[in-house]
Amino acid sequence: MRSKSSSATEPSQLDSEKAPLVDNLPNASAAPALEAAAGLKQESSGCFMGISKRTVAGLAATGALLLIFAASAWIPDPGCIHGMVFPSQLQSASSDGRIDPARVFLSIPSTERLLENLRYYSSGTHVAGINYTQASYTRDYFEQQGIDAKIVEYFPWMNYPVDQRVALYNTTNNKVVFEAGLREDVVAQDPLSEDPNNLPAFHGYSADGNVTGQLVYANYGTIDDFKALEKAGVSVANKIVLVRYGRVFRGLKVQAAELHGARGVLIYSDPADDGFSRGKTYPDGPWRPESSIQRGSVIRLQVYPGDPLTPGYASTESAPRIDPKDAKNINHIPSLPLSYRDAEPLLRALQGCGANVSTIADSWVGGLAAKGVEYWTGPSELSVNLLNRVEYKTVPVQNVIGRIKGSEDSEHAVIIGNHRDAWCAGASDPSSGSAALLELARALGELMKLGWRPRRTIVLASWDAEEYGMVGSTEWVEEKIDWLRANGVAYINVDNAVSGTSFAAQASPMFKRLLHSVTRQVPYPNSNESVYDAWLRQSLAEHRLGSASTESVAHASANSDADIDANDDDGASAEKPHKPPINLLGSGSAYTAFMAHAGVSSLSMAFSGIPGAYHSNYDSPKRLTSFIDPDMKLHQAMVRIWGLIAIRLADDPVIDLDPVSYAKDVRKYIKMLKKQISAQSSDDTASAAALGRVRNLHAAQRQLLISSHMVERDRKHLRAVYGEDCQMKSRRRHASCIKLRESINDRVFGLERHFIDPEGIPSREWYKHVLVGPGRSLGYGAQVFPALAEAAEDGDWRQFQVHVKHAAETIYEAAWFLREV
């Protein structure tokens, strides 16, 4: 591996693979492009294929026009789908004569290129710290598109598997009754299932250890589940705890077990959540087969992400490190993931021991009941030996950072990112997003060949070591924190771009208007709908079914803005959402440091819904193209959405971030907080007093809403009096226009920063956002007003009063900031 670190690990066999597919533009015929330029290709609906005549007229002076069509497969005009016209696509040039980059961009993304990219990135296991080849490939690809790019290395402390064992045995005669295979079956049709570099059963940041104890089943391993065991008279002290994936982040399951005195934790994928109970299993269908193992990190994500030994600052090669025993985001008992095939004998060994889980709650019964398994709590008569040998070391990880310098306002930047590392081949997570990032880079490169440059800088980031706990992105944000807080316009994240067919998004409320607008412009594959239409339809169907979010490849929060208030002004209804839901941002992907630590408004999105291969050897291109996106059009749609949002934020004269939506959502957050207090508090008097103090938040929220409307009035005034482009001959009017436009932009992208508290959330100070952050007992899931919610949960009403006052002051200060013209 090319690294300055003497502790670097050697590259895997990925470094010796065949030369990557980085080629020049294909030798495609120019005839389709010439036909389109002449307006000859036309459907019966009257919609032209390709770009419009007006666009052609604006570009005819350059031969670069042909490169667009030679570089991508010919596709129908995104403004026309089976005769349906998207009106916002019909303009092809802006008022100042510049090309309309969004219009041209939509015709560029190629499904063939996306498939090539996907096959490259998921050609083998590429774990963090041992994928330098892919880092250099990504950098070189960016550079070939005319994008300045470099590799930025950090040196975090990470673990790798050495030896694992799970055995069930009789302590009386030491006879082994069952030994877990801890391996996934080979699928004959899928060569990646037998890649010699595939990882064994493993948890990132798990503790090294060899422990033995009786077995106890604890359902999903939530705090409430452990409380239920205590109520049933079952102790997990000195036991091995068996829990299933779902509900909360896996690191919280291990932490909860540790806090209750357990010696070790086994986490299995139950078929009720992700297996044969959901449908046909791979290779016959997309769902998780019986031998499939879900790897993943068990870092204490809710404390802080990133390198455990450099909390709050970047893990550069020379950075000081804390002692590992002082790292607060590391668990101290060993853990391993299991398949449900390996979990079945363990569950059968519990039969008749302790309490039948139906006496606790029917929700404790999993899908293996269909195979005659009875779910009991234990403790078991037999014992379990859990061996987890891991090696911890400091290793270099590589972020790839590309930069397209802005033409007018180069200091301010829009950042778009995807992580590159995977536990296995990672076709969905994250290679579908990595494939999309490369194609987005190529499309931006084609625009630059036409002479286009964004007004603001665009930064493209390919992160490493995200799977361990957002390490690469966190270290970069910690190093660039001052620059980001001064200049970061927004961060747009795509992790696993395609793992299902349902569009989903988590975002700061600042993105609502823009995201709804863009998804209306992009066709949903193989339909007469836009992505927006399909998104709304799918969310309404899920709402009717009452489906609940679980921990999945989408990392989606269970908190949706459509489920909060039946009478809110934006039309969201608890019974029937008027707009597609945008979830709150908790944690679980690379946006975490941007939003929760730096205060940069963030968006994360995906086509999700079928997590049946998540973090397993079966997350392969074969499965992805067989059952989820056979024609790669979902990937293409994601590139279009991602690119349009980036172009709009980087190139529109006035940044389309929406403080009014934010102010309205703050009111929703307050209502959510009040419901939590009412539901949690056993002290009615204290609860009533706390709810009374929340009135301060309501008053602050009203001021924020008033100030937000002032920004919108300024935006309307700019359009009506000057025009957003500030194209006028009078120097005085031009200067006034520029000043007002800069003021609007500074306020809308700076608003998020005003919800950042430098002191952070008590006991987990790295998280600094006052309004929203990952829940202390959720991990991935979001919690509104986290400091207040946690004080209420702890019954610390004195601290609650302090935090209410501070939160109200923070909102008031944000409101006054929006009035600074």
PDB file of all heavy atoms in Angstrom, residues 55 60 62-64 89 117 160 163 167 172 179 191 322 377 404 468 475-476 507 512 519 568 655 699 782:
ATOM      1  N   THR A  55     -31.607  24.859 -26.874  1.00  0.00           N
ATOM      2  CA  THR A  55     -30.313  24.485 -26.311  1.00  0.00           C
ATOM      3  C   THR A  55     -29.282  24.297 -27.402  1.00  0.00           C
ATOM      4  O   THR A  55     -28.143  24.745 -27.305  1.00  0.00           O
ATOM      5  CB  THR A  55     -30.442  23.185 -25.505  1.00  0.00           C
ATOM      6  OG1 THR A  55     -31.445  23.375 -24.510  1.00  0.00           O
ATOM      7  CG2 THR A  55     -29.139  22.812 -24.845  1.00  0.00           C
ATOM      8  N   ALA A  60     -24.417  25.498 -30.574  1.00  0.00           N
ATOM      9  CA  ALA A  60     -23.989  25.103 -31.921  1.00  0.00           C
ATOM     10  C   ALA A  60     -22.592  25.575 -32.253  1.00  0.00           C
ATOM     11  O   ALA A  60     -21.919  24.997 -33.100  1.00  0.00           O
ATOM     12  CB  ALA A  60     -24.969  25.660 -32.953  1.00  0.00           C
ATOM     13  N   THR A  62     -19.989  25.258 -30.659  1.00  0.00           N
ATOM     14  CA  THR A  62     -18.906  24.415 -30.156  1.00  0.00           C
ATOM     15  C   THR A  62     -19.101  22.966 -30.549  1.00  0.00           C
ATOM     16  O   THR A  62     -20.209  22.447 -30.514  1.00  0.00           O
ATOM     17  CB  THR A  62     -18.802  24.522 -28.611  1.00  0.00           C
ATOM     18  OG1 THR A  62     -17.844  23.558 -28.152  1.00  0.00           O
ATOM     19  CG2 THR A  62     -20.130  24.212 -27.941  1.00  0.00           C
ATOM     20  N   GLY A  63     -18.020  22.303 -30.894  1.00  0.00           N
ATOM     21  CA  GLY A  63     -18.090  20.881 -31.208  1.00  0.00           C
ATOM     22  C   GLY A  63     -18.254  20.026 -29.979  1.00  0.00           C
ATOM     23  O   GLY A  63     -18.475  18.825 -30.076  1.00  0.00           O
ATOM     24  N   ALA A  64     -18.159  20.655 -28.807  1.00  0.00           N
ATOM     25  CA  ALA A  64     -18.308  19.882 -27.577  1.00  0.00           C
ATOM     26  C   ALA A  64     -19.687  19.295 -27.419  1.00  0.00           C
ATOM     27  O   ALA A  64     -19.884  18.356 -26.658  1.00  0.00           O
ATOM     28  CB  ALA A  64     -18.005  20.776 -26.364  1.00  0.00           C
ATOM     29  N   GLN A  89     -38.597  21.542 -17.256  1.00  0.00           N
ATOM     30  CA  GLN A  89     -37.490  21.118 -18.101  1.00  0.00           C
ATOM     31  C   GLN A  89     -37.447  21.853 -19.434  1.00  0.00           C
ATOM     32  O   GLN A  89     -36.528  21.662 -20.218  1.00  0.00           O
ATOM     33  CB  GLN A  89     -37.609  19.622 -18.385  1.00  0.00           C
ATOM     34  CG  GLN A  89     -37.524  18.751 -17.158  1.00  0.00           C
ATOM     35  CD  GLN A  89     -36.188  18.889 -16.476  1.00  0.00           C
ATOM     36  OE1 GLN A  89     -35.160  19.034 -17.131  1.00  0.00           O
ATOM     37  NE2 GLN A  89     -36.188  18.885 -15.166  1.00  0.00           N
ATOM     38  N   ASN A 117     -19.272   1.014 -13.625  1.00  0.00           N
ATOM     39  CA  ASN A 117     -18.789   1.521 -12.340  1.00  0.00           C
ATOM     40  C   ASN A 117     -19.160   0.581 -11.203  1.00  0.00           C
ATOM     41  O   ASN A 117     -18.342   0.300 -10.314  1.00  0.00           O
ATOM     42  CB  ASN A 117     -19.384   2.905 -12.056  1.00  0.00           C
ATOM     43  CG  ASN A 117     -18.947   3.966 -13.042  1.00  0.00           C
ATOM     44  OD1 ASN A 117     -17.970   3.793 -13.770  1.00  0.00           O
ATOM     45  ND2 ASN A 117     -19.686   5.063 -13.095  1.00  0.00           N
ATOM     46  N   TYR A 160      -9.314  -5.622  13.082  1.00  0.00           N
ATOM     47  CA  TYR A 160      -9.528  -6.586  12.004  1.00  0.00           C
ATOM     48  C   TYR A 160      -9.652  -7.980  12.622  1.00  0.00           C
ATOM     49  O   TYR A 160      -9.044  -8.271  13.661  1.00  0.00           O
ATOM     50  CB  TYR A 160      -8.376  -6.555  11.001  1.00  0.00           C
ATOM     51  CG  TYR A 160      -8.276  -5.250  10.242  1.00  0.00           C
ATOM     52  CD1 TYR A 160      -7.491  -4.202  10.722  1.00  0.00           C
ATOM     53  CD2 TYR A 160      -8.972  -5.052   9.059  1.00  0.00           C
ATOM     54  CE1 TYR A 160      -7.411  -2.986  10.031  1.00  0.00           C
ATOM     55  CE2 TYR A 160      -8.901  -3.852   8.364  1.00  0.00           C
ATOM     56  CZ  TYR A 160      -8.112  -2.830   8.864  1.00  0.00           C
ATOM     57  OH  TYR A 160      -8.036  -1.635   8.187  1.00  0.00           O
ATOM     58  N   ASP A 163      -9.665 -14.506  14.737  1.00  0.00           N
ATOM     59  CA  ASP A 163     -10.242 -15.828  14.973  1.00  0.00           C
ATOM     60  C   ASP A 163     -11.585 -15.651  15.676  1.00  0.00           C
ATOM     61  O   ASP A 163     -11.744 -14.747  16.513  1.00  0.00           O
ATOM     62  CB  ASP A 163      -9.299 -16.669  15.833  1.00  0.00           C
ATOM     63  CG  ASP A 163      -9.681 -18.149  15.846  1.00  0.00           C
ATOM     64  OD1 ASP A 163     -10.474 -18.569  14.978  1.00  0.00           O
ATOM     65  OD2 ASP A 163      -9.183 -18.877  16.729  1.00  0.00           O
ATOM     66  N   ALA A 167     -19.656 -21.739  20.300  1.00  0.00           N
ATOM     67  CA  ALA A 167     -19.914 -23.157  20.547  1.00  0.00           C
ATOM     68  C   ALA A 167     -20.847 -23.314  21.733  1.00  0.00           C
ATOM     69  O   ALA A 167     -20.726 -22.608  22.738  1.00  0.00           O
ATOM     70  CB  ALA A 167     -18.614 -23.906  20.796  1.00  0.00           C
ATOM     71  N   THR A 172     -20.694 -29.955  32.215  1.00  0.00           N
ATOM     72  CA  THR A 172     -20.454 -31.124  33.068  1.00  0.00           C
ATOM     73  C   THR A 172     -19.428 -32.062  32.459  1.00  0.00           C
ATOM     74  O   THR A 172     -18.479 -32.512  33.108  1.00  0.00           O
ATOM     75  CB  THR A 172     -21.765 -31.888  33.318  1.00  0.00           C
ATOM     76  OG1 THR A 172     -22.719 -31.006  33.915  1.00  0.00           O
ATOM     77  CG2 THR A 172     -21.535 -33.096  34.242  1.00  0.00           C
ATOM     78  N   GLU A 179     -21.520 -26.317  17.155  1.00  0.00           N
ATOM     79  CA  GLU A 179     -20.502 -25.316  16.823  1.00  0.00           C
ATOM     80  C   GLU A 179     -20.984 -24.533  15.607  1.00  0.00           C
ATOM     81  O   GLU A 179     -21.278 -25.113  14.560  1.00  0.00           O
ATOM     82  CB  GLU A 179     -19.155 -25.969  16.539  1.00  0.00           C
ATOM     83  CG  GLU A 179     -18.060 -24.986  16.202  1.00  0.00           C
ATOM     84  CD  GLU A 179     -16.828 -25.152  17.094  1.00  0.00           C
ATOM     85  OE1 GLU A 179     -16.735 -26.151  17.819  1.00  0.00           O
ATOM     86  OE2 GLU A 179     -15.975 -24.257  17.044  1.00  0.00           O
ATOM     87  N   PRO A 191     -20.177 -15.680  -8.187  1.00  0.00           N
ATOM     88  CA  PRO A 191     -18.783 -15.917  -7.795  1.00  0.00           C
ATOM     89  C   PRO A 191     -18.306 -15.089  -6.616  1.00  0.00           C
ATOM     90  O   PRO A 191     -17.384 -15.484  -5.901  1.00  0.00           O
ATOM     91  CB  PRO A 191     -17.997 -15.568  -9.073  1.00  0.00           C
ATOM     92  CG  PRO A 191     -18.917 -14.716  -9.883  1.00  0.00           C
ATOM     93  CD  PRO A 191     -20.297 -15.187  -9.571  1.00  0.00           C
ATOM     94  N   ILE A 322      -5.423   9.540  22.548  1.00  0.00           N
ATOM     95  CA  ILE A 322      -5.735   9.186  23.914  1.00  0.00           C
ATOM     96  C   ILE A 322      -5.508   7.696  24.106  1.00  0.00           C
ATOM     97  O   ILE A 322      -5.391   6.933  23.150  1.00  0.00           O
ATOM     98  CB  ILE A 322      -7.182   9.566  24.286  1.00  0.00           C
ATOM     99  CG1 ILE A 322      -8.187   8.749  23.457  1.00  0.00           C
ATOM    100  CG2 ILE A 322      -7.421  11.062  24.098  1.00  0.00           C
ATOM    101  CD1 ILE A 322      -9.635   8.943  23.869  1.00  0.00           C
ATOM    102  N   THR A 377     -36.675 -17.142  27.247  1.00  0.00           N
ATOM    103  CA  THR A 377     -35.665 -16.180  27.706  1.00  0.00           C
ATOM    104  C   THR A 377     -34.378 -16.848  28.154  1.00  0.00           C
ATOM    105  O   THR A 377     -33.290 -16.293  28.002  1.00  0.00           O
ATOM    106  CB  THR A 377     -36.198 -15.350  28.883  1.00  0.00           C
ATOM    107  OG1 THR A 377     -36.482 -16.235  29.989  1.00  0.00           O
ATOM    108  CG2 THR A 377     -37.438 -14.584  28.499  1.00  0.00           C
ATOM    109  N   ILE A 404     -14.304  21.314  -8.002  1.00  0.00           N
ATOM    110  CA  ILE A 404     -14.595  22.150  -9.173  1.00  0.00           C
ATOM    111  C   ILE A 404     -14.719  23.580  -8.652  1.00  0.00           C
ATOM    112  O   ILE A 404     -15.676  23.908  -7.946  1.00  0.00           O
ATOM    113  CB  ILE A 404     -15.902  21.720  -9.870  1.00  0.00           C
ATOM    114  CG1 ILE A 404     -15.818  20.257 -10.311  1.00  0.00           C
ATOM    115  CG2 ILE A 404     -16.199  22.619 -11.066  1.00  0.00           C
ATOM    116  CD1 ILE A 404     -17.133  19.694 -10.847  1.00  0.00           C
ATOM    117  N   TYR A 468     -16.916   1.603   9.706  1.00  0.00           N
ATOM    118  CA  TYR A 468     -16.476   1.472  11.097  1.00  0.00           C
ATOM    119  C   TYR A 468     -17.147   2.489  12.013  1.00  0.00           C
ATOM    120  O   TYR A 468     -17.135   2.344  13.220  1.00  0.00           O
ATOM    121  CB  TYR A 468     -14.958   1.628  11.184  1.00  0.00           C
ATOM    122  CG  TYR A 468     -14.203   0.349  10.899  1.00  0.00           C
ATOM    123  CD1 TYR A 468     -13.961  -0.073   9.596  1.00  0.00           C
ATOM    124  CD2 TYR A 468     -13.717  -0.449  11.931  1.00  0.00           C
ATOM    125  CE1 TYR A 468     -13.269  -1.246   9.328  1.00  0.00           C
ATOM    126  CE2 TYR A 468     -13.023  -1.612  11.686  1.00  0.00           C
ATOM    127  CZ  TYR A 468     -12.807  -2.008  10.372  1.00  0.00           C
ATOM    128  OH  TYR A 468     -12.125  -3.178  10.128  1.00  0.00           O
ATOM    129  N   GLU A 475     -13.219  12.570  10.289  1.00  0.00           N
ATOM    130  CA  GLU A 475     -11.868  13.138  10.438  1.00  0.00           C
ATOM    131  C   GLU A 475     -11.681  14.335   9.512  1.00  0.00           C
ATOM    132  O   GLU A 475     -11.054  15.332   9.883  1.00  0.00           O
ATOM    133  CB  GLU A 475     -10.810  12.065  10.165  1.00  0.00           C
ATOM    134  CG  GLU A 475     -10.914  10.836  11.051  1.00  0.00           C
ATOM    135  CD  GLU A 475     -11.042  11.174  12.530  1.00  0.00           C
ATOM    136  OE1 GLU A 475     -10.211  11.948  13.035  1.00  0.00           O
ATOM    137  OE2 GLU A 475     -11.989  10.675  13.169  1.00  0.00           O
ATOM    138  N   TRP A 476     -12.237  14.260   8.304  1.00  0.00           N
ATOM    139  CA  TRP A 476     -12.129  15.384   7.360  1.00  0.00           C
ATOM    140  C   TRP A 476     -12.878  16.599   7.883  1.00  0.00           C
ATOM    141  O   TRP A 476     -12.371  17.721   7.828  1.00  0.00           O
ATOM    142  CB  TRP A 476     -12.669  14.960   5.995  1.00  0.00           C
ATOM    143  CG  TRP A 476     -12.398  15.939   4.894  1.00  0.00           C
ATOM    144  CD1 TRP A 476     -11.227  16.079   4.186  1.00  0.00           C
ATOM    145  CD2 TRP A 476     -13.313  16.909   4.358  1.00  0.00           C
ATOM    146  NE1 TRP A 476     -11.358  17.068   3.239  1.00  0.00           N
ATOM    147  CE2 TRP A 476     -12.626  17.608   3.320  1.00  0.00           C
ATOM    148  CE3 TRP A 476     -14.619  17.257   4.635  1.00  0.00           C
ATOM    149  CZ2 TRP A 476     -13.217  18.627   2.573  1.00  0.00           C
ATOM    150  CZ3 TRP A 476     -15.223  18.275   3.894  1.00  0.00           C
ATOM    151  CH2 TRP A 476     -14.529  18.954   2.881  1.00  0.00           C
ATOM    152  N   ALA A 507     -33.226  14.672   5.893  1.00  0.00           N
ATOM    153  CA  ALA A 507     -32.661  15.975   5.570  1.00  0.00           C
ATOM    154  C   ALA A 507     -32.962  17.003   6.644  1.00  0.00           C
ATOM    155  O   ALA A 507     -33.927  16.876   7.403  1.00  0.00           O
ATOM    156  CB  ALA A 507     -33.195  16.476   4.222  1.00  0.00           C
ATOM    157  N   LYS A 512     -36.484  20.929   2.025  1.00  0.00           N
ATOM    158  CA  LYS A 512     -37.798  20.417   1.623  1.00  0.00           C
ATOM    159  C   LYS A 512     -38.230  20.917   0.255  1.00  0.00           C
ATOM    160  O   LYS A 512     -38.592  20.137  -0.635  1.00  0.00           O
ATOM    161  CB  LYS A 512     -38.839  20.788   2.678  1.00  0.00           C
ATOM    162  CG  LYS A 512     -38.846  19.883   3.878  1.00  0.00           C
ATOM    163  CD  LYS A 512     -40.060  20.140   4.728  1.00  0.00           C
ATOM    164  CE  LYS A 512     -40.121  19.163   5.880  1.00  0.00           C
ATOM    165  NZ  LYS A 512     -41.321  19.361   6.700  1.00  0.00           N
ATOM    166  N   THR A 519     -37.281  16.283  -7.407  1.00  0.00           N
ATOM    167  CA  THR A 519     -37.847  14.952  -7.655  1.00  0.00           C
ATOM    168  C   THR A 519     -39.056  15.015  -8.581  1.00  0.00           C
ATOM    169  O   THR A 519     -39.415  14.002  -9.198  1.00  0.00           O
ATOM    170  CB  THR A 519     -38.231  14.253  -6.338  1.00  0.00           C
ATOM    171  OG1 THR A 519     -39.060  15.124  -5.550  1.00  0.00           O
ATOM    172  CG2 THR A 519     -36.991  13.883  -5.544  1.00  0.00           C
ATOM    173  N   ASP A 568     -50.930  20.602  10.399  1.00  0.00           N
ATOM    174  CA  ASP A 568     -49.849  21.563  10.164  1.00  0.00           C
ATOM    175  C   ASP A 568     -50.034  22.276   8.834  1.00  0.00           C
ATOM    176  O   ASP A 568     -50.633  21.758   7.907  1.00  0.00           O
ATOM    177  CB  ASP A 568     -48.501  20.820  10.156  1.00  0.00           C
ATOM    178  CG  ASP A 568     -47.351  21.787  10.235  1.00  0.00           C
ATOM    179  OD1 ASP A 568     -47.122  22.313  11.331  1.00  0.00           O
ATOM    180  OD2 ASP A 568     -46.718  22.024   9.197  1.00  0.00           O
ATOM    181  N   ILE A 655     -29.630  30.842  -3.475  1.00  0.00           N
ATOM    182  CA  ILE A 655     -29.615  29.463  -2.989  1.00  0.00           C
ATOM    183  C   ILE A 655     -31.008  29.069  -2.506  1.00  0.00           C
ATOM    184  O   ILE A 655     -31.597  29.737  -1.653  1.00  0.00           O
ATOM    185  CB  ILE A 655     -28.590  29.309  -1.846  1.00  0.00           C
ATOM    186  CG1 ILE A 655     -27.179  29.644  -2.349  1.00  0.00           C
ATOM    187  CG2 ILE A 655     -28.621  27.894  -1.276  1.00  0.00           C
ATOM    188  CD1 ILE A 655     -26.139  29.752  -1.240  1.00  0.00           C
ATOM    189  N   ALA A 699     -42.657  30.486  21.892  1.00  0.00           N
ATOM    190  CA  ALA A 699     -42.464  31.916  21.614  1.00  0.00           C
ATOM    191  C   ALA A 699     -41.270  32.139  20.703  1.00  0.00           C
ATOM    192  O   ALA A 699     -41.319  32.948  19.763  1.00  0.00           O
ATOM    193  CB  ALA A 699     -42.284  32.681  22.927  1.00  0.00           C
ATOM    194  N   ALA A 782     -33.258   9.581  15.000  1.00  0.00           N
ATOM    195  CA  ALA A 782     -33.107  10.977  15.407  1.00  0.00           C
ATOM    196  C   ALA A 782     -33.931  11.283  16.654  1.00  0.00           C
ATOM    197  O   ALA A 782     -34.999  10.709  16.874  1.00  0.00           O
ATOM    198  CB  ALA A 782     -33.527  11.892  14.273  1.00  0.00           C
TER     199      ALA A 782
END
